[in-house]
Amino acid sequence: MTHAIRFHKTGGPEVLIWEEVNVGKPGPGEARIRHTAVGLNFVDIYNRSGVYPLPLPSGLGGEGAGVVEEVGSAVTDLKPGDRVAYGAAPLGAYAEARLIPADRLLKLPDSIDDKTAAAMMLKGLTVQYLIRQTYRVKAGDTILLHAAAGGVGLILSQWAKHLGATVIGTVGSDEKAALAKAHGCAHTIVYSREDFVKRVDEITGGKKVPVVYDSVGKDTFLKSLDCLAPLGIAALFGQSSGGVEPLNLGLLAQKGSLFVTRPTLNTYAAKSENLRAMAKELFEVVASGAVKINVNQTYALKDAAKAHADLAARKTTGSTVFVV
């Protein structure tokens, strides 16, 4: 039998259970894949704890890499033995094997190994839509990025620097500041002892920034607005500190006709052709060496509860991968 991490009720890491599951054969338009590596992301904590409610019982995880074992009818572009990865797919990556819609799978180039792929798909595709679509970062831009030492942060910093932008990154410690600087941040702000609004103003000479990428939420969002130049964009793509309170839209007028968006990967990658175009750009920037993917922690999949606890306690940096 195949094993998977499942949860039957929401709560802390202890609700995650390693149990036997029956995967079955792929139906029309599906593929069965055997995972070799699975990515850990903060959204997994939101799902497990009930912040983002799911029908229960449920699997978990939206990012993985592996090998195609079998394909269903009407699947013409995949075959058994193909190396594939995904980062915009139905939940269920925390499993030794699974069924998945074939149009969500992306063939891996030989230059990218499975562990790297599992660490970069969801986070890398998120970065792609943030800096190439939500706000198209260009040479000469100075941008603000919260949680710059996290999995998304380290990829975004490198990619934005490669595009010719100056990245200001907020972090929680001096160690994380050093990590962020090593991955493309020109300036770092340790928010526990520095006022990031004041520092952004100093760094930019009062001009502020055209975009803030904020995955922290409650603790940073209103101050993020104060860092924006007129007509600037606040891209809120996570809420690690909690949800943002209802916003008085009049503030956006007062602070310079600002824009606020709450984007998700599911929306940007909903169409298969868009997903493949996004992945192509991601694979190219990683294969070129401009963006390096750091797998800084690995866990056995059955130890998912410990990995969740460590991620929530901010004990991890960069990307974390489960080895299957």
Side-chain angles (χ1 to χ4, degrees):
M1 288 290 287
T2 296
H3 286 81
I5 291 287
R6 307 265 295 164
F7 63 109
H8 295 256
K9 61 181 180 181
T10 57
E14 69 281 355
V15 303
L16 299 178
I17 300 170
W18 182 244
E19 62 184 24
E20 289 187 347
V21 293
N22 180 26
V23 178
K25 295 179 73 65
E30 288 186 325
R32 176 183 167 122
I33 70 167
R34 180 155 297 278
H35 286 125
T36 52
V38 172
L40 171 67
N41 294 281
F42 216 97
V43 69
D44 301 344
I45 291 178
Y46 298 156
N47 289 325
R48 183 209 72 219
S49 63
V51 173
Y52 296 166
L54 299 170
L56 298 176
S58 177
L60 199 59
E63 175 178 55
V67 179
V68 175
E69 292 190 315
E70 189 178 354
V71 297
S73 61
V75 177
T76 57
D77 56 348
L78 290 174
K79 64 183 184 303
D82 282 346
R83 294 176 61 243
V84 292
Y86 60 91
L91 297 185
Y94 286 23
E96 292 174 323
R98 70 175 296 192
L99 300 177
I100 192 167
D103 67 356
R104 298 286 91 189
L105 293 174
L106 299 154
K107 289 185 183 178
L108 282 175
D110 293 340
S111 57
I112 297 175
D113 65 79
D114 291 13
K115 193 189 294 185
T116 300
M120 74 183 232
M121 295 306 300
L122 191 151
K123 291 176 279 290
L125 291 169
T126 296
V127 171
Q128 196 283 339
Y129 82 69
L130 286 172
I131 70 172
R132 307 300 289 151
Q133 298 184 72
T134 301
Y135 173 85
R136 195 169 178 86
V137 172
K138 59 189 182 299
D141 282 342
T142 297
I143 67 175
L144 177 61
L145 167 65
H146 292 305
V152 168
L154 295 181
I155 296 173
L156 196 154
S157 297
Q158 294 177 83
W159 200 338
K161 181 181 179 182
H162 174 63
L163 293 170
T166 298
V167 183
I168 305 170
T170 70
V171 293
S173 68
D174 289 324
E175 292 77 14
K176 290 188 174 184
L179 184 66
K181 280 198 169 178
H183 289 81
C185 279
H187 308 274
T188 54
I189 302 168
V190 181
Y191 59 78
S192 56
R193 65 168 186 262
E194 298 179 273
D195 180 340
F196 71 79
V197 177
K198 182 180 178 183
R199 287 287 293 123
V200 167
D201 202 55
E202 292 170 355
I203 291 165
T204 62
K207 293 181 179 179
K208 305 188 179 184
V209 297
V211 64
V212 179
Y213 295 112
D214 190 337
S215 62
V216 178
K218 183 179 179 181
D219 291 350
T220 55
F221 184 70
L222 288 178
K223 293 175 73 175
S224 290
L225 299 182
D226 291 330
C227 296
L228 286 170
L231 308 181
I233 296 174
L236 178 72
F237 67 101
Q239 52 183 56
S240 61
S241 69
V244 173
E245 296 293 321
L247 180 65
N248 172 7
L249 296 183
L251 286 176
L252 302 181
Q254 294 169 23
K255 295 178 185 295
S257 300
L258 304 180
F259 296 85
V260 172
T261 183
R262 181 60 178 87
T264 70
L265 177 58
N266 285 343
T267 308
Y268 278 89
K271 294 181 179 178
S272 182
E273 59 267 31
N274 293 348
L275 172 62
R276 294 182 194 288
M278 292 164 67
K280 182 176 184 289
E281 195 169 350
L282 172 62
F283 290 156
E284 286 173 352
V285 79
V286 172
S288 75
V291 171
K292 294 178 173 61
I293 306 299
N294 293 91
V295 180
N296 291 345
Q297 299 83 208
T298 59
Y299 298 81
L301 184 56
K302 62 183 176 58
D303 296 329
K306 176 170 173 37
H308 275 226
D310 289 349
L311 178 61
R314 299 183 183 274
K315 292 181 180 178
T316 66
T317 58
S319 296
T320 300
V321 166
F322 296 111
V323 179
V324 184

